[in-house]
C-alpha cells in the first residue's frame, strides 16, 4: 500500500520520515524580497545514502551557498548498518539543511568527519539497533566517549582566546 494513501497520523514514525525525505521544500527569494515555496516531490534524500553537494547545490535554497563553496569534499555518506537508524540520521541532516540551521559548509566540511565516527561507533556497538530513540542517552554518551578514546580520537576541548577547538 502506498504511504501517501494514509492520513499522516496513521503513519509510523519511520514512514513519516520516509514521506518527508521523499519531498523537499524549495524556496525562491524574489527581487522584491518576497519568498515563495514549492514542495518538490523528489526522493533523492530518501533513496541515496551518498549525497552529492553538486546535486544539492542545484536546489534554489542552496545555490548561493554552493556558489561560494570552495572545498573539494563532494559527498556525505550515510552508512549505518541499521536501515532505520540510517534513515533517522539522514532525516536529521535533511531537516537541519532545509530549516537553514546548517549550511552546506557545516555539513560537508564540519560534520562529515563526525558522521563517519558516529557511523563507525553505531556499527560497532549497535549494529541491530532499531531506532536512536531506543538508546539510553547517558549510558550511550559514556560508551561513545570510551569508544572515541579507544580509537585514539581526542575528545578534549581547548579554549584559546576567541577560538574554541574541539578535538
Amino acid at each position: 500500500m502506498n504511504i501517501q494513501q494514509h492520513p499522516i497520523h496513521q503513519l509510523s514514525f519511520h514512514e513519516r520520515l520516509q514521506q518527508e525525505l521523499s519531498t523537499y521544500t524549495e524556496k525562491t527569494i524574489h527581487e522584491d524580497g518576497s519568498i515563495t515555496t514549492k514542495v518538490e516531490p523528489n526522493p533523492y534524500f530518501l533513496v541515496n545514502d551518498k549525497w552529492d553537494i553538486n546535486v544539492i547545490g542545484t536546489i534554489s535554497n542552496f545555490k548561493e551557498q554552493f556558489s561560494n563553496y570552495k572545498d573539494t569534499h563532494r559527498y556525505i555518506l550515510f552508512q549505518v548498518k541499521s536501515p532505520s537508524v540510517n534513515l533517522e540520521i539522514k532525516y536529521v541532516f535533511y531537516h537541519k539543511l532545509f530549516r537553514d540551521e546548517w549550511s552546506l559548509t557545516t555539513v560537508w566540511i564540519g560534520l562529515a568527519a563526525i558522521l563517519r565516527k558516529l557511523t563507525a561507533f553505531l556499527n560497532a556497538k549497535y549494529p541491530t539497533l532499531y531506532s536512536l530513540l531506543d538508546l539510553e542517552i547517558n549510558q550511550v554518551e559514556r560508551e561513545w566517549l570510551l569508544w572515541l578514546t579507544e580509537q585514539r580520537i581526542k575528545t578534549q576541548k581547548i579554549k584559546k582566546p576567541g577560538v574554541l577547538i574541539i578535538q
Side-chain angles (χ1 to χ4, degrees):
M1 185 172 245
N2 189 339
I3 290 175
Q4 293 158 350
Q5 294 173 348
H6 295 287
I8 193 77
H9 64 279
Q10 292 181 353
L11 297 176
S12 75
F13 173 67
H14 289 104
E15 287 172 330
R16 288 193 315 258
L17 298 183
Q18 290 173 342
Q19 186 175 51
E20 194 162 339
L21 284 166
S22 295
T23 65
Y24 61 83
T25 302
E26 189 160 22
K27 292 185 225 173
T28 305
I29 301 173
H30 303 283
E31 288 183 19
D32 66 1
S34 63
I35 299 173
T36 56
T37 59
K38 180 182 177 190
V39 175
E40 291 289 335
N42 185 328
Y44 179 82
F45 297 98
L46 175 63
V47 299
N48 290 292
D49 291 337
K50 181 179 182 180
W51 293 358
D52 186 336
I53 195 163
N54 293 315
V55 172
I56 295 170
T58 65
I59 299 170
S60 64
N61 308 32
F62 307 111
K63 282 184 179 179
E64 184 177 343
Q65 289 180 52
F66 181 68
S67 69
N68 296 320
Y69 184 81
K70 304 299 181 213
D71 201 83
T72 57
H73 292 97
R74 183 173 170 191
Y75 303 105
I76 187 149
L77 304 172
F78 299 92
Q79 299 178 313
V80 177
K81 288 178 183 176
S82 165
S84 52
V85 172
N86 203 53
L87 175 71
E88 291 172 11
I89 292 173
K90 284 198 303 188
Y91 178 78
V92 169
F93 277 73
Y94 164 92
H95 182 79
K96 295 288 192 176
L97 275 171
F98 279 92
R99 300 278 165 114
D100 298 322
E101 294 176 34
W102 290 347
S103 69
L104 295 180
T105 301
T106 298
V107 172
W108 267 261
I109 297 172
L111 295 174
I114 294 168
L115 177 59
R116 284 191 299 274
K117 291 171 188 151
L118 178 62
T119 298
F121 169 75
L122 290 171
N123 288 344
K125 299 290 186 176
Y126 297 98
T128 61
L129 180 67
Y130 180 70
S131 174
L132 293 170
L133 299 173
D134 295 336
L135 296 173
E136 198 284 292
I137 195 67
N138 292 326
Q139 174 190 339
V140 174
E141 181 180 20
R142 287 188 297 277
E143 289 177 26
W144 167 245
L145 291 172
L146 180 61
W147 183 85
L148 288 170
T149 302
E150 289 169 354
Q151 304 303 308
R152 298 194 167 146
I153 299 169
K154 294 180 182 178
T155 58
Q156 182 179 14
K157 292 182 183 181
I158 302 169
K159 255 188 155 174
K160 294 183 179 179
V163 178
L164 174 64
I165 302 169
I166 302 174
Q167 297 182 318

